Amino acid sequence: MLLTWIAEVADEPLVLEPADRRVEWETNTWWLSAEDEDRKSLSVSAVVAAFERTASAVQVRIRELGFPGVATFYVWHDAQAGQLRCSTGSLPADALPFGGAYVLSGLGPVIEGFLADSEPGVTGWSGLEGVHNHSEQIDTEPDLVPIRVWASSVGAASC
């Protein structure tokens, strides 16, 4: 089912509106999940190929729309939700609308993390911070691991 859903993203509504990033995000962002059985049966290469085909199809659509600017199709694994997410935005890969740190990565590692997630959407005890005594100083800036994001330039202008 996951491969079908990835392919369908290319045909979903697409808005490129640099003046309204919120509308782009709400229209162009997709949440994809897979049942445990599907995760076990899929290969990284099959999922990577599906996203690459979708990125190519999105690029064709953007050219057909006549959008002259920069556009990026990007994919990440939201480990907290146990989902793959993808979106298209009228911005370069180094300016994606994440609230936290991200690092551009190959698509393989993003997909590997998703397929290897044995308990999607579940955070283990080791991933949680302990309760602190109020007399202890609490680190207000925890060391966060950046999200791995694969990005593909799909606009008429190069990034």
Side-chain angles (χ1 to χ4, degrees):
M1 238 12 244
L2 180 63
L3 299 180
T4 301
W5 291 333
I6 293 168
E8 289 174 352
V9 167
D11 297 322
E12 293 294 336
L14 179 65
V15 173
L16 295 171
E17 187 56 57
D20 195 343
R21 301 275 187 230
R22 184 186 57 75
V23 168
E24 279 188 354
W25 178 261
E26 290 174 0
T27 305
N28 301 341
T29 303
W30 300 98
W31 295 258
L32 306 167
S33 60
E35 296 296 327
D36 193 41
E37 183 178 306
D38 202 15
R39 281 178 198 265
K40 290 177 183 175
S41 69
L42 288 169
S43 69
V44 171
S45 61
V47 179
V48 165
F51 273 118
E52 288 173 341
R53 284 190 301 272
T54 296
S56 293
V58 167
Q59 184 174 42
V60 168
R61 284 187 64 199
I62 289 172
R63 289 190 176 153
E64 288 172 351
L65 291 171
F67 181 75
V70 170
T72 303
F73 176 79
Y74 53 104
V75 178
W76 70 101
H77 172 214
D78 183 332
Q80 288 182 324
Q83 300 169 333
L84 280 173
R85 297 193 178 180
C86 62
S87 191
T88 304
S90 59
L91 34 79
D94 63 356
L96 298 176
F98 288 101
Y102 69 96
V103 61
L104 295 176
S105 167
L107 185 51
V110 173
I111 303 306
E112 285 171 8
F114 172 74
L115 292 178
D117 190 351
S118 62
E119 295 185 58
V122 175
T123 303
W125 284 108
S126 63
L128 301 174
E129 290 188 26
V131 176
H132 298 280
N133 182 328
H134 290 290
S135 64
E136 294 178 32
Q137 183 177 357
I138 298 173
D139 184 4
T140 57
E141 294 190 31
D143 295 332
L144 298 177
V145 177
I147 299 169
R148 282 189 174 157
V149 179
W150 174 74
S152 177
S153 176
V154 292
S158 59
C159 299

